[in-house]
Amino acid sequence: MRNRTLLNGFIFISTIFIVNSSFAETVSLEYNGFYDRLKQVNKQNYPLVELAFSVPITPDCTIVSGSITTEKEQFPLTYTKQQRLFIPYDPQLKSDRGLVNINVVGDAAQCGIAMQVRAKETKQSFTQTELLALTNDMNKLLDGLQGFPMKYFRKPINGLTFEFAEIQADGKTIKVVIDDVESMANEKFTLTLEQITQLKNISFTHKPSVVSPFVSQ
């Protein structure tokens, strides 16, 4: 059984089944679900944005290893310390009914896969034109993921969120400059669409690690 929830660009997908072992628990998901979403991105032209899959970091869900398997083959699963998963776009894996297997320490029942729309590249400064182009691509991609007719019930993006979680972990402060006006940011800094349409430039003392959609509740 699957459950999906969309929140600020994240779609959370519950695990399909869980296998217990003495040292860790394995969360296994059908590759087909990843492929269908990656196909939507690959068949359209979204030059500025991408889909990122990850396992949200919690005390009960820490990745220790992973693999992609079929009945005949096994491949390593690439992931980062932030638990972002790099899932290949491969029609053969779909045809072979591949599985994405994630070995975690903790309570695997608390684990889930998050799918986020985000900017392909981040920078220390953006113009208004660049920010509007980002929101446009994000809206188009989210519409495609929702599918017809659900895209007409999706809330449009209300702005952009800039994340500095990795930088904050190092104890660094973030200064934000919007058209020569300075302010400070914590782990996240949000610009509403109204603010974007009123600014000319925005810059940060450190490059954000993630730029993602902001959707008001």
Side-chain angles (χ1 to χ4, degrees):
M1 182 175 65
R2 300 181 184 180
N3 179 43
R4 299 186 180 92
T5 303
L6 176 62
L7 177 62
N8 287 356
F10 278 102
I11 299 176
F12 292 95
I13 309 172
S14 66
T15 57
I16 296 176
F17 59 84
I18 298 168
V19 180
N20 293 319
S21 73
S22 57
F23 299 104
E25 293 184 329
T26 300
V27 179
S28 294
L29 302 103
E30 295 174 357
Y31 172 78
N32 181 55
F34 295 97
Y35 178 86
D36 289 344
R37 290 158 179 82
L38 291 170
K39 181 179 179 180
Q40 178 64 40
V41 178
N42 279 270
K43 74 178 183 180
Q44 301 293 337
N45 182 28
Y46 305 113
L48 303 177
V49 298
E50 63 181 353
L51 281 184
F53 299 99
S54 63
V55 177
I57 299 175
T58 69
D60 290 323
C61 195
T62 302
I63 299 177
V64 292
S65 63
S67 63
I68 300 175
T69 59
T70 66
E71 289 186 0
K72 298 180 180 180
E73 296 181 287
Q74 178 171 318
F75 311 94
L77 175 66
T78 301
Y79 61 93
T80 68
K81 65 179 181 180
Q82 289 77 37
Q83 302 196 159
R84 176 179 176 179
L85 310 177
F86 290 91
I87 309 295
Y89 178 63
D90 189 337
Q92 189 62 49
L93 284 175
K94 174 182 169 67
S95 177
D96 292 343
R97 298 182 180 180
L99 289 175
V100 177
N101 310 292
I102 306 167
N103 301 316
V104 299
V105 172
D107 180 4
Q110 304 302 315
C111 293
I113 302 295
M115 181 178 71
Q116 186 187 42
V117 174
R118 59 172 67 176
K120 285 183 179 179
E121 297 181 2
T122 65
K123 306 190 302 177
Q124 279 188 244
S125 63
F126 295 87
T127 65
Q128 181 195 82
T129 300
E130 290 172 328
L131 295 175
L132 290 174
L134 265 179
T135 59
N136 183 54
D137 259 18
M138 288 177 177
N139 267 318
K140 289 192 297 183
L141 178 50
L142 285 169
D143 281 345
L145 291 172
Q146 291 291 317
F148 178 84
M150 289 305 296
K151 69 179 182 179
Y152 295 108
F153 298 93
R154 179 182 69 82
K155 287 186 176 181
I157 293 172
N158 299 115
L160 296 170
T161 297
F162 304 82
E163 298 181 32
F164 304 91
E166 296 176 42
I167 298 168
Q168 285 288 304
D170 294 334
K172 298 176 181 177
T173 58
I174 312 301
K175 183 169 70 175
V176 184
V177 181
I178 300 178
D179 297 339
D180 298 324
V181 178
E182 296 184 2
S183 62
M184 302 302 294
N186 295 314
E187 291 187 5
K188 294 184 179 181
F189 180 82
T190 297
L191 277 178
T192 66
L193 190 57
E194 181 180 4
Q195 289 173 315
I196 291 173
T197 58
Q198 293 175 355
L199 63 76
K200 294 181 180 179
N201 297 277
I202 183 171
S203 63
F204 308 95
T205 49
H206 296 84
K207 185 171 71 170
S209 53
V210 176
V211 181
S212 60
F214 169 68
V215 181
S216 62
Q217 300 302 301

